[in-house]
């Protein structure tokens, strides 16, 4: 099975990227591609830019990656209660080239934040919006208080959250018949 994994953050120290890397460690028997959102940086979306310049090649490249995958693992950063500007811009461009750019691919949707809500605002927004863009959200997982509940070497350190995370991974594997 081909898995596409990335974080909805452009931060080089992204806690959501760390969560994605930890999560894909449970899919070692599969072909996993880990993307960096920075590799898909595009000009700020505007209808004027779209009319004058067309669509960025990087939007097509991301859509190509999605088309070649069987499962998407995505963890969203929350900035001021919503998507990071980098992810929102990528989403805007990709949705203009293909309104269902997630192409009905199954998705494990996650979020992590340093705060106690675990990116709950962006998660709630994504649960509503991403299916309209063609994502089939199989299940979700939020990691609150990241710095207290995640260890760089061992991953999720809070036993209750680790158990929930593992159950979400098991749910995805069962639904994907892995």
């Amino acid at each position: 099975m081909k898995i596409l994994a990335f974080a909805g953050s452009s931060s080089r120290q992204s806690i959501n990227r760390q969560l994605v890397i930890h999560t894909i460690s449970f899919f070692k028997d599969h072909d996993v591609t880990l993307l960096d959102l920075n590799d898909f940086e595009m000009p700020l979306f505007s209808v004027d830019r779209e009319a004058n310049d067309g669509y960025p090649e990087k939007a097509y490249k991301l859509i190509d990656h999605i088309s070649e995958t069987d499962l998407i693992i995505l963890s969203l950063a929350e900035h001021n209660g919503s998507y990071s500007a980098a992810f929102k811009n990528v989403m805007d461009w990709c949705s203009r080239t293909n309104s269902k750019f997630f192409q009905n691919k199954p998705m494990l949707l996650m979020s992590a934040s340093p705060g106690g809500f675990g990116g709950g605002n962006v998660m709630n927004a994504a649960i509503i919006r991403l299916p309209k863009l063609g994502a089939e959200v199989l299940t979700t997982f939020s990691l609150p208080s990241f710095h207290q509940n995640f260890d760089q070497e061992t991953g999720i350190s809070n036993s209750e959250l680790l158990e929930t995370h593992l159950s979400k991974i098991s749910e995805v594997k069962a639904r994907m018949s892995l």
Side-chain angles (χ1 to χ4, degrees):
M1 180 171 66
K2 292 184 178 182
I3 299 171
L4 181 65
F6 63 103
S9 171
S10 60
S11 171
R12 296 285 178 204
Q13 288 77 41
S14 169
I15 61 176
N16 283 278
R17 184 172 173 81
Q18 292 174 53
L19 178 58
V20 166
I21 291 169
H22 175 65
T23 301
I24 63 176
S25 72
F26 296 99
F27 291 89
K28 289 184 179 179
D29 296 337
H30 302 283
D31 181 7
V32 178
T33 300
L34 177 63
L35 297 182
D36 185 333
L37 197 62
N38 290 299
D39 294 335
F40 298 92
E41 187 173 316
M42 297 175 234
L44 186 61
F45 175 79
S46 75
V47 293
D48 293 336
R49 185 171 281 128
E50 177 184 34
N52 292 333
D53 303 332
Y55 303 114
E57 187 61 33
K58 290 180 180 182
Y60 292 111
K61 283 185 174 186
L62 181 57
I63 290 169
D64 286 345
H65 278 291
I66 292 169
S67 71
E68 297 168 358
T69 195
D70 301 307
L71 172 67
I72 299 168
I73 297 174
L74 171 61
S75 188
L76 295 173
E78 182 174 296
H79 291 183
N80 294 314
S82 192
Y83 308 105
S84 70
F87 180 76
K88 177 69 167 78
N89 194 52
V90 166
M91 192 169 64
D92 287 344
W93 277 115
C94 288
S95 68
R96 296 296 282 202
T97 63
N98 179 345
S99 64
K100 302 278 188 185
F101 75 92
F102 283 116
Q103 305 167 52
N104 300 315
K105 300 295 180 167
M107 178 184 288
L108 168 55
L109 180 60
M110 303 184 296
S111 61
S113 76
F117 198 43
N121 292 313
V122 73
M123 178 65 76
N124 290 335
I127 288 168
I128 294 167
R129 186 74 197 135
L130 297 188
K132 293 177 182 176
L133 298 173
E136 180 192 343
V137 178
L138 298 177
T139 192
T140 63
F141 174 76
S142 293
L143 182 59
S145 306
F146 181 85
H147 301 292
Q148 290 77 36
N149 292 318
F150 192 89
D151 178 88
Q152 295 297 322
E153 293 181 25
T154 60
I156 298 172
S157 55
N158 176 297
S159 60
E160 186 176 309
L161 289 169
L162 176 59
E163 183 178 320
T164 301
H165 184 247
L166 292 174
S167 96
K168 299 294 185 168
I169 290 170
S170 293
E171 179 181 345
V172 167
K173 288 181 174 185
R175 292 188 64 187
M176 297 294 296
S177 301
L178 303 179

